[in-house]
């Protein structure tokens, strides 16, 4: 049996540092509709799924349209899958749309149409992992939860460990650090989660951090104190997209969203230099349930 690393005896960030970040968020945080008072847990869940690896600017119009069309899990659960994929449009990773619909169906069938508040019940929903379950617990149900996304990982890596960027893979040590930093009181923990995530998105960014505007600069940020060292080679991330299978899958999905059916022969023209790439991507879309083949025609499911 494995055990989690022991929490440090002294919190990695003191109360003054925590308060500084929360106060910064109170006047600098973005006015996003899924943060408004009275927004439903379902609306928060949808926003969290959409925001995975997708900028807020792209998510906002889609979220507004989605909530207008499917304001409750029951509405999405009953929607034709093809309409769901068309509404997802170019948010990226369209499997998330399928998982979100499966999640809506599970909420209807297993939870009476209400997004559960229990962390383990959230984790059991289709497509809901550790981060999303914790985020819904904190931001929808206002309960204490260890929320760790890319932005939070980066802030903690810099402020506490002095690293320019976190490791490529989320580790047990990072989970322990985030747990140690999280304030003990429920309201303050929710405020901290929201604030530190926003700090990473707006100030402590990956490429051009604005340290002069950072509330942690006056509270002993380890990275700033070390002279803001560059990322180590193993910390650097490459986000190549051009020529990838992901790009090809997106091109195929765009064709499918725009027509009832598309001939496979037409899709093969997307890469005449490497037809095997097209075939590989077609096969993966079929396997993921994102497309359906009928003879020589392809369509949305």
């Amino acid at each position: 049996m494995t055990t989690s690393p022991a929490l440090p005896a002294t919190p990695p960030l003191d109360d003054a540092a925590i308060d500084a970040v929360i106060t910064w968020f109170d006047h600098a945080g973005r006015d996003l509709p899924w943060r408004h008072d009275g927004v439903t847990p379902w609306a928060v869940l949808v926003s969290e799924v959409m925001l995975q690896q997708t900028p807020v600017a792209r998510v906002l119009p889609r979220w507004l349209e989605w909530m207008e069309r499917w304001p409750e899990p029951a509405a999405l659960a009953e929607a034709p899958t093809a309409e769901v994929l068309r509404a997802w449009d170019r948010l990226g990773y369209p499997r998330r749309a399928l998982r979100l619909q499966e999640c809506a169906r599970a909420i209807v069938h297993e939870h009476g149409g209400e997004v559960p508040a229990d962390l383990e019940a959230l984790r059991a929903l289709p497509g809901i992992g550790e981060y999303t379950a914790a985020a819904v617990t904190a931001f929808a149900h206002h309960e204490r939860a260890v929320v760790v996304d890319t932005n939070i990982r980066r802030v903690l890596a810099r402020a506490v460990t002095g690293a320019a960027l976190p490791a490529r893979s989320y580790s047990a040590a990072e989970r322990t650090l985030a747990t140690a930093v999280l304030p003990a009181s429920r309201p303050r923990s929710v405020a901290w989660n929201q604030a530190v995530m926003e700090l990473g998105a707006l100030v402590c960014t990956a490429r051009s951090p604005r340290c002069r505007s950072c509330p942690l600069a006056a509270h002993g940020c380890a990275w700033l104190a070390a002279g803001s060292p560059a990322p180590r080679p193993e910390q650097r991330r490459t986000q190549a997209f051009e020529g990838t299978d992901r790009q090809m899958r997106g091109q195929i999905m765009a064709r499918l969203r725009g027509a009832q059916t598309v001939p496979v022969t037409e899709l093969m023209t997307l890469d005449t230099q490497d037809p095997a790439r097209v075939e590989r991507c077609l096969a993966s879309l079929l396997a993921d349930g994102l497309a359906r083949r009928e003879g020589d025609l392809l369509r949305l499911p």
Side-chain angles (χ1 to χ4, degrees), residues 49 66 76 81 84-89 92-103 290:
V49 173
W66 195 280
L76 182 63
T81 301
V84 172
L85 289 171
R86 287 193 174 95
W88 192 260
D89 197 28
Y93 301 100
R95 279 177 292 183
R96 288 183 295 161
L98 294 185
R99 300 293 88 79
L100 188 54
Q101 186 173 41
E102 292 173 9
C103 179
L290 291 167

Side-chain angles (χ1 to χ4, degrees), residues 138-188:
F139 306 142
H141 298 299
H142 310 293
E143 296 292 342
R144 190 174 184 273
V146 181
V147 180
V148 186
D149 75 337
T150 300
N151 291 312
I152 293 176
R153 291 181 66 209
R154 185 169 55 254
V155 172
L156 295 183
R158 287 177 177 164
V160 179
T161 73
L165 293 173
R168 293 185 180 182
S169 299
Y170 183 45
S171 67
E174 288 180 275
R175 184 181 290 106
T176 298
L177 173 58
T179 302
V181 170
L182 188 68
S185 80
R186 179 180 58 79
R188 200 154 169 264

Side-chain angles (χ1 to χ4, degrees), residues 111-129:
H111 301 282
E114 300 293 330
V115 176
D118 179 72
L119 190 62
E120 293 307 313
L122 285 165
R123 286 289 301 270
L125 293 172
I128 303 300

Side-chain angles (χ1 to χ4, degrees), residues 197-233:
M197 184 182 299
E198 190 80 334
L199 185 67
L202 300 184
V203 175
C204 192
T205 57
R207 295 186 178 180
S208 302
R210 298 188 294 113
C211 295
R212 291 184 178 180
S213 302
C214 182
L216 289 176
H219 293 274
C221 170
W223 184 63
L224 195 60
S228 306
R232 297 190 301 271

